[in-house]
Amino acid sequence: MSVPFWAWLATIGAFVAIIAFDFYLVARNPRDPSMRESTIWVCCYVALAVIFGLGVLAFTGPQYGGEFFAGWITEYSLSVDNLFIFVLIMSRFAVPRQYRQKVLLIGIVLALLLRGIFIALGAEAISRFDWMFYLFGAFLIYTAWKLIRHSDEDEEFQENRVLRAVRRVVPSTTEYQGASLTTKVDGRRLVTPMLIVMVAIGTTDLLFAVDSIPAIFGLTQEPYLVFTANAFALMGLRQLFFLIGGLLDRLVYLSKGLAIILAFIGFKLIFEAMHHHGVSWAPEVPIWASLLVIVGTLAITTVASLAKSRKDAAAENAAADPTTAKDGDDPAEEVPEPTSKSAG
């Protein structure tokens, strides 16, 4: 797939324009968006990604079109898992509700810039060292195993090295000053927790990209498709945070579904590398099969999660209601009051 330089510039320019317009809306009226507003924005970003994917399909053929859709869906689903950590970060830093949109937007932009660097390095490494496929594949399988093993444990936010370094090097306050990133105290310029939490979201997302970037390289080796799939997945993440924030706890099997997808892509990478090196029995997995496995796994995971959550909620309601009789229990028989019969 040959992408001219002007196409790269046009694509990046379009992303910058969309993000700038989004930032203008957030800065003009800082607040928690309504469910209706969040739904509309998520649908708009999904529609943009679908239109872009159809364009790739029309101009480059079904192979690259399928690779984009498979990569975008995978990145989007992995990004949903990141929302659990974003919720913890927001709680950890006690971000005021009216400024959460701004924090998420700037944090996601920072994450996109860092991912761009990561993607460029990954593409260069793969082009020079084809054995990287074995390394990426083994890493994804290990990540999947670790995800399944620890899926039932409660996650806690832990500050990474970058965030700790920022705290040590940059003097900061303990209180927010509206949406300002810096403030002056006794004539000294200090950063506010607003900047710290933005760095936390951006760098934490990059840590999650350690598994998502190899995953998408297992679906396509085209840097243009890898970058655009990541960009579309991240751009709609802010609205998705407010749309499904209350639904996250109900997706109890999401981690297991993502583990299955990561393991599948890991084995796919290893098999393709073996096939490339002359191992005749190693299969090449077509992109339509990858897309089917990804979509099917996410659909089954979502349906099973919602069904279990509904069943657990019904069981909790039944246990909390003392008037609910258990199946098979005989109700206590009431002793009728004696009635006096007239003599005669």
Side-chain angles (χ1 to χ4, degrees), residues 8 17 38 58 90-91 94 144-146 157 193 215 225 243 260 262 328 332 342:
W8 274 99
S38 298
M90 292 290 186
S91 300
W145 172 78
K146 195 166 70 169
F157 169 68
L225 297 181
L243 178 61
I260 292 173
L262 290 177
S342 58

Side-chain angles (χ1 to χ4, degrees), residues 30 93-96 98-99 102-103 171-186 188-198:
F93 290 94
V95 179
Q98 67 268 31
Y99 300 126
K102 182 178 180 179
V103 168
S172 60
T173 65
T174 57
E175 297 181 356
Y176 289 91
Q177 302 293 326
S180 300
L181 302 182
T182 63
T183 186
K184 273 191 175 183
V185 178
D186 298 330
R188 187 185 180 194
R189 177 68 63 178
L190 304 175
V191 302
T192 69
M194 186 69 68
L195 178 62
I196 302 296
V197 72
M198 289 175 183

